[in-house]
Short mmCIF file of all heavy atoms in Angstrom, two decimals:
data_model
loop_
_atom_site.label_atom_id
_atom_site.label_comp_id
_atom_site.label_asym_id
_atom_site.label_seq_id
_atom_site.Cartn_x
_atom_site.Cartn_y
_atom_site.Cartn_z
N LEU A 1 221.08 161.25 61.87
CA LEU A 1 222.23 160.40 62.12
C LEU A 1 223.22 160.54 60.97
O LEU A 1 222.82 160.61 59.82
CB LEU A 1 221.80 158.94 62.24
CG LEU A 1 220.87 158.61 63.38
CD1 LEU A 1 220.45 157.15 63.29
CD2 LEU A 1 221.46 158.92 64.72
N GLY A 2 224.49 160.52 61.26
CA GLY A 2 225.51 160.67 60.25
C GLY A 2 225.97 159.34 59.68
O GLY A 2 227.13 159.00 59.77
N LEU A 3 225.07 158.58 59.08
CA LEU A 3 225.42 157.28 58.54
C LEU A 3 225.85 157.41 57.09
O LEU A 3 225.23 158.11 56.32
CB LEU A 3 224.22 156.34 58.61
CG LEU A 3 223.66 156.03 59.98
CD1 LEU A 3 222.40 155.19 59.85
CD2 LEU A 3 224.68 155.31 60.82
N ALA A 4 226.90 156.72 56.74
CA ALA A 4 227.31 156.65 55.34
C ALA A 4 226.62 155.45 54.72
O ALA A 4 227.04 154.31 54.89
CB ALA A 4 228.82 156.50 55.25
N ILE A 5 225.51 155.69 54.04
CA ILE A 5 224.74 154.59 53.46
C ILE A 5 224.47 154.88 52.00
O ILE A 5 224.47 156.03 51.58
CB ILE A 5 223.40 154.37 54.22
CG1 ILE A 5 222.56 155.64 54.23
CG2 ILE A 5 223.66 153.88 55.62
CD1 ILE A 5 221.21 155.49 54.88
N PRO A 6 224.25 153.86 51.21
CA PRO A 6 223.94 154.07 49.80
C PRO A 6 222.71 154.94 49.63
O PRO A 6 221.81 154.94 50.46
CB PRO A 6 223.67 152.65 49.28
CG PRO A 6 224.32 151.74 50.27
CD PRO A 6 224.28 152.46 51.59
N ALA A 7 222.65 155.67 48.54
CA ALA A 7 221.54 156.59 48.29
C ALA A 7 220.20 155.89 48.26
O ALA A 7 219.19 156.46 48.64
CB ALA A 7 221.78 157.33 46.98
N ASN A 8 220.17 154.64 47.82
CA ASN A 8 218.90 153.93 47.73
C ASN A 8 218.63 153.06 48.94
O ASN A 8 217.76 152.21 48.93
CB ASN A 8 218.86 153.07 46.46
CG ASN A 8 219.91 151.99 46.45
OD1 ASN A 8 220.86 152.02 47.21
ND2 ASN A 8 219.76 151.03 45.57
N ALA A 9 219.37 153.26 50.02
CA ALA A 9 219.21 152.45 51.22
C ALA A 9 217.93 152.78 51.96
O ALA A 9 217.29 153.80 51.72
CB ALA A 9 220.40 152.66 52.15
N ALA A 10 217.59 151.91 52.87
CA ALA A 10 216.38 152.08 53.67
C ALA A 10 216.52 153.24 54.63
O ALA A 10 217.61 153.59 55.04
CB ALA A 10 216.11 150.80 54.45
N PRO A 11 215.40 153.85 55.00
CA PRO A 11 215.44 154.92 56.00
C PRO A 11 215.85 154.37 57.36
O PRO A 11 215.66 153.19 57.63
CB PRO A 11 214.00 155.43 56.02
CG PRO A 11 213.18 154.33 55.46
CD PRO A 11 214.06 153.56 54.53
N THR A 12 216.43 155.22 58.17
CA THR A 12 216.87 154.79 59.50
C THR A 12 216.46 155.82 60.55
O THR A 12 215.99 156.89 60.23
CB THR A 12 218.39 154.62 59.55
OG1 THR A 12 218.99 155.88 59.29
CG2 THR A 12 218.89 153.59 58.55
N GLY A 13 216.70 155.47 61.80
CA GLY A 13 216.51 156.41 62.90
C GLY A 13 215.10 156.90 63.10
O GLY A 13 214.74 157.97 62.66
N GLY A 14 214.27 156.10 63.76
CA GLY A 14 212.92 156.50 64.10
C GLY A 14 211.88 156.17 63.05
O GLY A 14 210.72 156.52 63.20
N THR A 15 212.28 155.49 62.00
CA THR A 15 211.33 155.12 60.97
C THR A 15 210.67 153.78 61.30
O THR A 15 211.12 153.06 62.19
CB THR A 15 212.02 155.02 59.59
OG1 THR A 15 213.05 154.04 59.66
CG2 THR A 15 212.60 156.35 59.16
N SER A 16 209.65 153.45 60.59
CA SER A 16 208.92 152.20 60.79
C SER A 16 209.82 151.00 60.52
O SER A 16 210.48 150.94 59.47
CB SER A 16 207.72 152.17 59.84
OG SER A 16 207.23 150.85 59.69
N ALA A 17 209.84 150.05 61.42
CA ALA A 17 210.64 148.85 61.23
C ALA A 17 210.14 148.05 60.03
O ALA A 17 210.94 147.53 59.25
CB ALA A 17 210.61 147.99 62.49
N VAL A 18 208.84 147.98 59.85
CA VAL A 18 208.27 147.24 58.72
C VAL A 18 208.71 147.85 57.40
O VAL A 18 209.14 147.14 56.48
CB VAL A 18 206.72 147.19 58.81
CG1 VAL A 18 206.11 146.63 57.55
CG2 VAL A 18 206.29 146.36 60.01
N ASP A 19 208.64 149.18 57.29
CA ASP A 19 209.04 149.86 56.06
C ASP A 19 210.52 149.68 55.78
O ASP A 19 210.94 149.47 54.64
CB ASP A 19 208.70 151.35 56.13
CG ASP A 19 207.21 151.61 56.15
OD1 ASP A 19 206.41 150.70 55.81
OD2 ASP A 19 206.83 152.74 56.53
N THR A 20 211.34 149.76 56.82
CA THR A 20 212.78 149.62 56.66
C THR A 20 213.14 148.21 56.21
O THR A 20 213.93 148.03 55.28
CB THR A 20 213.51 149.97 57.97
OG1 THR A 20 213.20 151.33 58.30
CG2 THR A 20 215.01 149.80 57.84
N VAL A 21 212.56 147.21 56.85
CA VAL A 21 212.82 145.82 56.47
C VAL A 21 212.40 145.58 55.02
O VAL A 21 213.15 145.00 54.23
CB VAL A 21 212.10 144.84 57.42
CG1 VAL A 21 212.15 143.41 56.88
CG2 VAL A 21 212.74 144.89 58.81
N ALA A 22 211.23 146.06 54.63
CA ALA A 22 210.76 145.88 53.27
C ALA A 22 211.68 146.55 52.26
O ALA A 22 211.99 145.97 51.20
CB ALA A 22 209.34 146.42 53.13
N ALA A 23 212.14 147.75 52.57
CA ALA A 23 213.03 148.47 51.66
C ALA A 23 214.37 147.74 51.51
O ALA A 23 214.89 147.62 50.40
CB ALA A 23 213.26 149.90 52.16
N LEU A 24 214.90 147.25 52.60
CA LEU A 24 216.17 146.52 52.54
C LEU A 24 216.02 145.21 51.76
O LEU A 24 216.87 144.87 50.94
CB LEU A 24 216.69 146.24 53.95
CG LEU A 24 217.23 147.46 54.69
CD1 LEU A 24 217.41 147.14 56.17
CD2 LEU A 24 218.53 147.94 54.08
N GLN A 25 214.94 144.48 52.01
CA GLN A 25 214.72 143.24 51.29
C GLN A 25 214.53 143.49 49.80
O GLN A 25 215.02 142.72 48.97
CB GLN A 25 213.52 142.49 51.88
CG GLN A 25 213.82 141.91 53.24
CD GLN A 25 212.61 141.26 53.89
OE1 GLN A 25 211.47 141.63 53.65
NE2 GLN A 25 212.88 140.30 54.77
N ALA A 26 213.88 144.58 49.44
CA ALA A 26 213.69 144.92 48.03
C ALA A 26 215.02 145.21 47.34
O ALA A 26 215.15 145.04 46.13
CB ALA A 26 212.75 146.12 47.91
N GLN A 27 216.01 145.64 48.12
CA GLN A 27 217.35 145.91 47.59
C GLN A 27 218.23 144.67 47.59
O GLN A 27 219.39 144.72 47.19
CB GLN A 27 218.02 147.01 48.41
CG GLN A 27 217.34 148.35 48.26
CD GLN A 27 217.95 149.38 49.18
OE1 GLN A 27 219.16 149.49 49.28
NE2 GLN A 27 217.11 150.14 49.85
N GLY A 28 217.70 143.54 48.06
CA GLY A 28 218.43 142.29 48.03
C GLY A 28 219.12 141.90 49.33
O GLY A 28 219.84 140.91 49.37
N TYR A 29 218.91 142.67 50.38
CA TYR A 29 219.53 142.35 51.67
C TYR A 29 218.75 141.26 52.40
O TYR A 29 217.52 141.22 52.33
CB TYR A 29 219.56 143.58 52.58
CG TYR A 29 220.59 144.60 52.21
CD1 TYR A 29 220.25 145.70 51.43
CD2 TYR A 29 221.91 144.48 52.66
CE1 TYR A 29 221.20 146.65 51.09
CE2 TYR A 29 222.85 145.43 52.32
CZ TYR A 29 222.50 146.50 51.53
OH TYR A 29 223.44 147.45 51.20
N ASN A 30 219.48 140.41 53.11
CA ASN A 30 218.90 139.57 54.14
C ASN A 30 218.87 140.46 55.38
O ASN A 30 219.82 141.20 55.61
CB ASN A 30 219.76 138.33 54.41
CG ASN A 30 219.79 137.41 53.22
OD1 ASN A 30 218.76 137.09 52.64
ND2 ASN A 30 220.98 136.99 52.84
N VAL A 31 217.80 140.41 56.15
CA VAL A 31 217.66 141.32 57.29
C VAL A 31 217.65 140.54 58.59
O VAL A 31 216.91 139.57 58.74
CB VAL A 31 216.37 142.16 57.17
CG1 VAL A 31 216.19 143.05 58.38
CG2 VAL A 31 216.40 142.99 55.90
N GLN A 32 218.50 140.98 59.52
CA GLN A 32 218.50 140.43 60.87
C GLN A 32 218.09 141.54 61.82
O GLN A 32 218.68 142.62 61.82
CB GLN A 32 219.88 139.91 61.26
CG GLN A 32 219.89 139.38 62.69
CD GLN A 32 221.22 138.79 63.07
OE1 GLN A 32 221.88 138.14 62.27
NE2 GLN A 32 221.63 139.01 64.30
N LEU A 33 217.07 141.28 62.63
CA LEU A 33 216.60 142.25 63.61
C LEU A 33 217.34 142.08 64.92
O LEU A 33 217.54 140.96 65.39
CB LEU A 33 215.10 142.09 63.85
CG LEU A 33 214.20 142.30 62.65
CD1 LEU A 33 212.75 141.99 63.00
CD2 LEU A 33 214.33 143.72 62.12
N ASN A 34 217.75 143.19 65.51
CA ASN A 34 218.39 143.20 66.82
C ASN A 34 217.48 143.95 67.77
O ASN A 34 217.23 145.14 67.58
CB ASN A 34 219.76 143.91 66.75
CG ASN A 34 220.71 143.21 65.82
OD1 ASN A 34 220.77 141.99 65.77
ND2 ASN A 34 221.46 143.98 65.06
N GLY A 35 216.96 143.27 68.76
CA GLY A 35 216.04 143.86 69.72
C GLY A 35 214.96 142.85 70.06
O GLY A 35 214.90 141.77 69.48
N ILE A 36 214.11 143.20 70.98
CA ILE A 36 213.04 142.31 71.42
C ILE A 36 211.72 142.84 70.88
O ILE A 36 211.34 143.98 71.14
CB ILE A 36 212.98 142.23 72.96
CG1 ILE A 36 214.30 141.67 73.48
CG2 ILE A 36 211.80 141.37 73.41
CD1 ILE A 36 214.45 141.76 74.98
N ALA A 37 211.04 142.00 70.11
CA ALA A 37 209.76 142.39 69.53
C ALA A 37 208.65 141.53 70.14
O ALA A 37 208.27 140.50 69.59
CB ALA A 37 209.79 142.25 68.02
N ASP A 38 208.16 141.96 71.30
CA ASP A 38 207.05 141.25 71.95
C ASP A 38 205.71 141.74 71.43
O ASP A 38 204.67 141.33 71.93
CB ASP A 38 207.11 141.45 73.47
CG ASP A 38 208.27 140.71 74.11
OD1 ASP A 38 208.76 139.73 73.52
OD2 ASP A 38 208.69 141.11 75.20
N VAL A 39 205.75 142.66 70.49
CA VAL A 39 204.57 143.23 69.85
C VAL A 39 204.75 143.07 68.35
O VAL A 39 205.85 142.74 67.88
CB VAL A 39 204.40 144.72 70.23
CG1 VAL A 39 204.17 144.88 71.73
CG2 VAL A 39 205.60 145.54 69.80
N PRO A 40 203.71 143.30 67.56
CA PRO A 40 203.89 143.23 66.11
C PRO A 40 204.98 144.20 65.65
O PRO A 40 205.13 145.29 66.21
CB PRO A 40 202.52 143.65 65.56
CG PRO A 40 201.57 143.33 66.66
CD PRO A 40 202.33 143.57 67.94
N LEU A 41 205.74 143.79 64.64
CA LEU A 41 206.83 144.61 64.13
C LEU A 41 206.34 145.98 63.68
O LEU A 41 207.08 146.97 63.73
CB LEU A 41 207.53 143.89 62.98
CG LEU A 41 208.86 144.47 62.51
CD1 LEU A 41 209.86 144.53 63.65
CD2 LEU A 41 209.40 143.66 61.34
N SER A 42 205.08 146.07 63.30
CA SER A 42 204.51 147.35 62.86
C SER A 42 204.48 148.40 63.98
O SER A 42 204.35 149.59 63.72
CB SER A 42 203.10 147.15 62.31
OG SER A 42 202.26 146.61 63.31
N GLU A 43 204.62 147.96 65.22
CA GLU A 43 204.65 148.88 66.36
C GLU A 43 206.07 149.30 66.75
O GLU A 43 206.25 150.08 67.67
CB GLU A 43 203.95 148.24 67.56
CG GLU A 43 202.47 148.00 67.34
CD GLU A 43 201.80 147.40 68.55
OE1 GLU A 43 202.24 147.67 69.69
OE2 GLU A 43 200.83 146.64 68.36
N CYS A 44 207.05 148.77 66.04
CA CYS A 44 208.46 149.03 66.36
C CYS A 44 209.04 150.09 65.44
O CYS A 44 208.57 150.28 64.32
CB CYS A 44 209.26 147.74 66.22
SG CYS A 44 208.65 146.38 67.25
N ILE A 45 210.08 150.75 65.95
CA ILE A 45 210.79 151.73 65.14
C ILE A 45 212.25 151.32 65.01
O ILE A 45 212.76 150.51 65.79
CB ILE A 45 210.71 153.16 65.74
CG1 ILE A 45 211.31 153.19 67.15
CG2 ILE A 45 209.28 153.69 65.72
CD1 ILE A 45 211.50 154.59 67.71
N VAL A 46 212.91 151.89 64.02
CA VAL A 46 214.31 151.60 63.78
C VAL A 46 215.18 152.56 64.57
O VAL A 46 214.96 153.77 64.55
CB VAL A 46 214.63 151.72 62.27
CG1 VAL A 46 216.12 151.59 62.01
CG2 VAL A 46 213.85 150.68 61.49
N LYS A 47 216.17 152.00 65.27
CA LYS A 47 217.14 152.83 65.99
C LYS A 47 218.38 153.03 65.14
O LYS A 47 218.99 154.09 65.17
CB LYS A 47 217.50 152.17 67.32
CG LYS A 47 216.34 152.16 68.31
CD LYS A 47 216.57 151.30 69.52
CE LYS A 47 217.85 151.59 70.25
NZ LYS A 47 218.01 150.78 71.47
N ASP A 48 218.78 152.00 64.37
CA ASP A 48 219.98 152.09 63.55
C ASP A 48 220.01 150.91 62.58
O ASP A 48 219.32 149.91 62.78
CB ASP A 48 221.23 152.07 64.43
CG ASP A 48 222.44 152.72 63.78
OD1 ASP A 48 222.35 153.13 62.60
OD2 ASP A 48 223.47 152.83 64.46
N VAL A 49 220.80 151.05 61.53
CA VAL A 49 221.00 149.99 60.55
C VAL A 49 222.50 149.84 60.33
O VAL A 49 223.21 150.84 60.17
CB VAL A 49 220.30 150.31 59.21
CG1 VAL A 49 220.59 149.23 58.17
CG2 VAL A 49 218.80 150.46 59.40
N HIS A 50 222.98 148.60 60.31
CA HIS A 50 224.40 148.31 60.12
C HIS A 50 224.58 147.32 58.99
O HIS A 50 223.68 146.54 58.70
CB HIS A 50 225.00 147.67 61.39
CG HIS A 50 224.68 148.39 62.65
ND1 HIS A 50 225.39 149.46 63.09
CD2 HIS A 50 223.68 148.20 63.56
CE1 HIS A 50 224.87 149.89 64.23
NE2 HIS A 50 223.83 149.15 64.52
N GLY A 51 225.75 147.32 58.38
CA GLY A 51 226.10 146.30 57.39
C GLY A 51 225.71 146.63 55.97
O GLY A 51 225.77 145.76 55.11
N LEU A 52 225.33 147.87 55.70
CA LEU A 52 224.98 148.23 54.33
C LEU A 52 226.24 148.36 53.49
O LEU A 52 227.27 148.80 53.97
CB LEU A 52 224.20 149.55 54.32
CG LEU A 52 222.90 149.54 55.12
CD1 LEU A 52 222.20 150.88 55.01
CD2 LEU A 52 221.97 148.43 54.67
N SER A 53 226.13 147.98 52.23
CA SER A 53 227.29 147.97 51.35
C SER A 53 226.93 148.54 49.99
O SER A 53 225.86 148.27 49.46
CB SER A 53 227.79 146.53 51.18
OG SER A 53 228.76 146.46 50.18
N ASP A 54 227.84 149.33 49.42
CA ASP A 54 227.67 149.82 48.05
C ASP A 54 228.02 148.75 47.03
O ASP A 54 227.66 148.85 45.88
CB ASP A 54 228.57 151.04 47.81
CG ASP A 54 228.03 152.29 48.47
OD1 ASP A 54 226.81 152.44 48.57
OD2 ASP A 54 228.85 153.13 48.88
N VAL A 55 228.75 147.74 47.48
CA VAL A 55 229.28 146.74 46.55
C VAL A 55 228.25 145.66 46.24
O VAL A 55 227.85 145.49 45.11
CB VAL A 55 230.56 146.10 47.13
CG1 VAL A 55 231.11 145.05 46.18
CG2 VAL A 55 231.59 147.17 47.42
N ARG A 56 227.82 144.94 47.25
CA ARG A 56 226.89 143.83 47.05
C ARG A 56 226.06 143.66 48.30
O ARG A 56 226.60 143.50 49.39
CB ARG A 56 227.67 142.55 46.76
CG ARG A 56 226.78 141.39 46.35
CD ARG A 56 227.59 140.14 46.21
NE ARG A 56 227.67 139.55 47.55
CZ ARG A 56 228.46 138.58 47.89
NH1 ARG A 56 229.28 138.06 47.04
NH2 ARG A 56 228.46 138.10 49.12
N PRO A 57 224.73 143.68 48.18
CA PRO A 57 223.90 143.46 49.37
C PRO A 57 224.15 142.09 49.98
O PRO A 57 224.24 141.10 49.27
CB PRO A 57 222.47 143.56 48.84
CG PRO A 57 222.57 144.28 47.56
CD PRO A 57 223.93 143.93 46.99
N THR A 58 224.29 142.05 51.29
CA THR A 58 224.43 140.79 52.00
C THR A 58 223.43 140.79 53.14
O THR A 58 222.24 140.72 52.91
CB THR A 58 225.87 140.58 52.50
OG1 THR A 58 226.25 141.69 53.31
CG2 THR A 58 226.85 140.42 51.36
N THR A 59 223.91 140.93 54.37
CA THR A 59 223.02 140.99 55.52
C THR A 59 223.03 142.38 56.12
O THR A 59 224.09 142.95 56.34
CB THR A 59 223.44 139.96 56.59
OG1 THR A 59 223.39 138.65 56.01
CG2 THR A 59 222.51 140.01 57.79
N ALA A 60 221.85 142.92 56.34
CA ALA A 60 221.70 144.20 57.02
C ALA A 60 221.19 143.91 58.42
O ALA A 60 220.29 143.07 58.61
CB ALA A 60 220.72 145.10 56.28
N TYR A 61 221.76 144.58 59.39
CA TYR A 61 221.38 144.40 60.80
C TYR A 61 220.59 145.62 61.23
O TYR A 61 221.10 146.74 61.17
CB TYR A 61 222.62 144.20 61.65
CG TYR A 61 223.44 143.03 61.21
CD1 TYR A 61 224.44 143.16 60.25
CD2 TYR A 61 223.17 141.75 61.69
CE1 TYR A 61 225.17 142.07 59.80
CE2 TYR A 61 223.90 140.65 61.26
CZ TYR A 61 224.90 140.82 60.31
OH TYR A 61 225.62 139.73 59.87
N VAL A 62 219.34 145.40 61.62
CA VAL A 62 218.44 146.50 61.97
C VAL A 62 218.18 146.47 63.46
O VAL A 62 217.62 145.51 63.98
CB VAL A 62 217.12 146.37 61.17
CG1 VAL A 62 216.17 147.50 61.54
CG2 VAL A 62 217.38 146.36 59.66
N ASP A 63 218.62 147.52 64.15
CA ASP A 63 218.35 147.66 65.59
C ASP A 63 216.96 148.26 65.74
O ASP A 63 216.69 149.32 65.18
CB ASP A 63 219.37 148.59 66.24
CG ASP A 63 220.81 148.08 66.14
OD1 ASP A 63 220.99 146.87 65.90
OD2 ASP A 63 221.72 148.90 66.30
N ILE A 64 216.09 147.57 66.46
CA ILE A 64 214.72 148.05 66.63
C ILE A 64 214.43 148.37 68.09
O ILE A 64 215.09 147.88 69.00
CB ILE A 64 213.69 147.02 66.13
CG1 ILE A 64 213.83 145.68 66.88
CG2 ILE A 64 213.81 146.83 64.62
CD1 ILE A 64 212.71 144.70 66.59
N SER A 65 213.43 149.21 68.27
CA SER A 65 212.91 149.54 69.58
C SER A 65 211.40 149.37 69.52
O SER A 65 210.75 149.94 68.64
CB SER A 65 213.28 150.98 69.96
OG SER A 65 212.73 151.31 71.21
N CYS A 66 210.87 148.58 70.44
CA CYS A 66 209.44 148.31 70.46
C CYS A 66 208.86 148.80 71.79
O CYS A 66 209.59 148.92 72.78
CB CYS A 66 209.19 146.82 70.30
SG CYS A 66 209.88 146.16 68.76
N PRO A 67 207.56 149.05 71.85
CA PRO A 67 206.95 149.58 73.08
C PRO A 67 207.27 148.79 74.34
O PRO A 67 207.48 149.37 75.39
CB PRO A 67 205.45 149.53 72.78
CG PRO A 67 205.35 149.62 71.31
CD PRO A 67 206.57 148.92 70.78
N SER A 68 207.40 147.49 74.25
CA SER A 68 207.66 146.69 75.44
C SER A 68 209.09 146.80 75.95
O SER A 68 209.37 146.46 77.08
CB SER A 68 207.33 145.22 75.19
OG SER A 68 208.17 144.71 74.18
N ASP A 69 210.03 147.31 75.11
CA ASP A 69 211.42 147.42 75.57
C ASP A 69 211.93 148.85 75.50
O ASP A 69 213.11 149.09 75.53
CB ASP A 69 212.34 146.46 74.79
CG ASP A 69 212.54 146.84 73.35
OD1 ASP A 69 211.53 147.12 72.68
OD2 ASP A 69 213.69 146.85 72.88
N ASN A 70 211.05 149.83 75.49
CA ASN A 70 211.46 151.24 75.49
C ASN A 70 211.86 151.68 76.88
O ASN A 70 211.38 151.32 77.86
CB ASN A 70 210.34 152.14 74.97
CG ASN A 70 210.23 152.03 73.47
OD1 ASN A 70 211.18 151.71 72.78
ND2 ASN A 70 209.04 152.32 72.98
#
């Protein structure tokens, strides 16, 4: 994906939702998930991440895809 994101940002596009959320939180972001997680988040993958900033971490929006909504 051609995302312009900070070098230390979380991985995106098909990566583990749990890993992405943890990486974003470690960078100081509040994380909002977009999608339906009827299964544990560990079974979900990331489709995209929005709201990343080089200036100051605020809220990152993580689009997820889980087995029940694929």
Side-chain angles (χ1 to χ4, degrees):
L1 298 175
L3 299 175
I5 57 177
N8 63 344
T12 62
T15 59
S16 162
V18 170
D19 293 344
T20 300
V21 169
L24 288 167
Q25 289 175 332
Q27 293 175 45
Y29 285 96
N30 294 313
V31 177
Q32 178 176 322
L33 298 175
N34 299 320
I36 299 170
D38 290 337
V39 297
L41 192 58
S42 61
E43 295 181 30
C44 303
I45 60 169
V46 173
K47 292 169 53 178
D48 205 356
V49 177
H50 311 276
L52 301 181
S53 171
D54 284 328
V55 179
R56 188 185 86 192
T58 56
T59 300
Y61 302 89
V62 179
D63 298 341
I64 60 171
S65 178
C66 302
S68 63
D69 69 312
N70 285 334

